[in-house]
Amino acid sequence: MKVNKIFVAFAVLLVCVLGYGFFSSKKGEETKKVDNKEVKVGVLQLLSHPALDQIYKGLEDGLKKEGYEVGKNLKIDLQNAQGDQSNLASMGQKLVTDNNDILVGITTPATLSLSNATKDKPIIMGGITYPVEAGLIKAEDKPGNNITGVSDRTPIKQQLEIMKKVLPNMKKVGILYTASEDNSVKQAQEAEKLAKELGLEVKVSTVANTNDIQQVTESLASQTDAIFVPIDNTIASAMATVVKVTDAKKIPVFPSADTMVADGGLLGLGVDQYQIGVETAKVVAKVLKGADTKDMPIVLANEGVIYLNEAKAKQLGIEIPKEIKDKAKVVDKK
């Protein structure tokens, strides 16, 4: 009898210990607690623009959710090149020599600059469309080096199909992009191929910088029924110029980012820039906790969200099909 009492007491104690351990473990998972040692994250951003600023905001908020908070156990060194290639090179080198624990590149040019500066420190890509083609990694499922992160790639064929549904009489489509942005070049090439497969006549125009945009857009708008713009930082920073030209000619613009739609585009199957930052933060946290970039597959930020500028549709007199409107997220600029 005494033995049974001892056994029961031991069993109760064991259950209590295991229960407490399970509860503590779950609680730790919910709060995602990390140690209080300060982590230094260096961020290199190509330029200031609402789309890229949203990525950074999502990164900062996402890191806080992962247990890393500025002023407590996190220090972020943000370097903004303001579109200057020489700034990118010097700032990328500075972030490396300043002994940051981990680096984040927002856009392909920024990530390339970081890659040129170090082959050892982990680099996390914040929204890179074609990382393999850009020469950053060997393969998306297994990068094989010190770089991994998030891709902002969207399904271009689906975007073109939506354009045809919105504009059933569309015969000629223009593609506008920046010749020096590798991501944009690849997307434009893919868009041209797919548009031709859909029976559309394609006119491709490129710009070298923002100074070219008005003249190039005027020429393109006069030759097409609609203009497609891939994820393009230069065009995004000058959407006001693009839209001023296209509005005058009643030509709709279909961009690939929510901010570009809000800035005057009609509709786009784009990416949620803020969510890209949040997803980037998750990758950063995994690496900080010991994951190896070499074996971490690239994350796709989302599968494409339909963004609609209802005010622009009304202005241009374009009726959006109900099947598309019901799925769309309205992003009219306030």
Side-chain angles (χ1 to χ4, degrees):
M1 191 71 174
K2 186 175 180 181
V3 173
N4 288 339
K5 286 182 178 180
I6 293 173
F7 177 78
V8 170
F10 177 78
V12 170
L13 178 62
L14 182 61
V15 168
C16 290
V17 170
L18 291 175
Y20 176 78
F22 176 79
F23 176 77
S24 299
S25 174
K26 294 300 289 182
K27 186 176 180 181
E29 288 176 9
E30 290 170 3
T31 58
K32 294 188 177 180
K33 288 184 178 179
V34 296
D35 60 49
N36 290 321
K37 179 184 176 182
E38 185 180 71
V39 169
K40 296 175 65 179
V41 177
V43 181
L44 183 58
Q45 183 171 322
L46 176 62
L47 50 80
S48 294
H49 180 268
L52 304 186
D53 295 343
Q54 278 294 301
I55 294 177
Y56 177 76
K57 175 64 173 163
L59 171 69
E60 191 172 29
D61 290 350
L63 285 172
K64 185 175 180 180
K65 290 178 183 177
E66 294 294 327
Y68 300 95
E69 187 173 355
V70 174
K72 292 187 177 179
N73 61 348
L74 172 66
K75 181 179 180 181
I76 299 181
D77 183 358
L78 173 63
Q79 298 288 316
N80 191 320
Q82 299 300 354
D84 189 307
Q85 291 293 328
S86 61
N87 283 346
L88 277 178
S90 60
M91 288 176 175
Q93 190 61 53
K94 180 179 185 299
L95 289 173
V96 173
T97 56
D98 283 351
N99 292 320
N100 287 289
D101 299 299
I102 194 166
L103 305 170
V104 176
I106 299 179
T107 72
T108 300
T111 308
L112 283 168
S113 291
L114 292 173
S115 175
N116 290 334
T118 179
K119 303 299 180 186
D120 301 315
K121 286 183 180 292
I123 299 171
I124 311 303
M125 301 180 290
I128 312 305
T129 312
Y130 295 100
V132 175
E133 288 80 356
L136 289 165
I137 58 175
K138 293 179 180 178
E140 291 195 2
D141 59 339
K142 193 171 184 179
N145 58 4
N146 63 319
I147 305 173
T148 189
V150 180
S151 170
D152 57 6
R153 189 162 60 250
T154 55
I156 293 176
K157 183 178 180 180
Q158 188 181 345
Q159 165 86 316
L160 293 168
E161 290 171 342
I162 291 174
M163 289 171 64
K164 288 191 71 175
K165 289 178 181 178
V166 172
L167 301 174
N169 296 321
M170 180 177 67
K171 304 297 182 185
K172 301 177 181 179
V173 61
I175 300 175
L176 179 66
Y177 70 98
T178 306
S180 60
E181 293 192 27
D182 292 340
N183 282 348
S184 300
V185 173
K186 178 67 177 176
Q187 291 172 84
Q189 291 172 344
E190 184 177 348
E192 182 178 7
K193 175 177 176 291
L194 292 170
K196 288 178 178 178
E197 290 176 0
L198 291 172
L200 295 168
E201 184 179 332
V202 182
K203 173 67 177 177
V204 178
S205 294
T206 64
V207 301
N209 51 54
T210 54
N211 296 327
D212 300 339
I213 289 178
Q214 182 169 338
Q215 182 179 352
V216 172
T217 304
E218 285 177 349
S219 175
L220 187 61
S222 66
Q223 302 176 65
T224 56
D225 302 313
I227 294 175
F228 167 73
V229 181
I231 296 172
D232 188 297
N233 299 300
T234 303
I235 305 295
S237 69
M239 271 297 286
T241 302
V242 173
V243 172
K244 183 178 179 181
V245 171
T246 55
D247 280 356
K249 296 181 180 294
K250 297 291 184 180
I251 297 296
V253 179
F254 293 81
S256 300
D258 55 341
T259 53
M260 296 171 77
V261 175
D263 284 342
L266 172 64
L267 178 150
L269 186 69
V271 295
D272 184 327
Q273 305 290 341
Y274 179 84
Q275 188 60 32
I276 289 173
V278 172
E279 294 298 329
T280 302
K282 291 178 182 177
V283 179
V284 170
K286 287 179 181 178
V287 174
L288 288 173
K289 293 170 184 175
D292 191 339
T293 57
K294 295 184 182 67
D295 303 314
M296 295 178 67
I298 300 304
V299 176
L300 290 178
N302 57 50
E303 296 179 355
V305 178
I306 299 174
Y307 295 103
L308 170 64
N309 189 325
E310 285 190 327
K312 183 61 62 178
K314 185 176 181 180
Q315 178 186 343
L316 296 176
I318 296 174
E319 185 70 28
I320 305 298
K322 187 177 185 302
E323 62 174 298
I324 294 174
K325 195 171 184 177
D326 289 345
K327 297 177 183 177
K329 180 178 180 180
V330 177
V331 290
D332 295 5
K333 197 162 190 176
K334 305 299 183 184

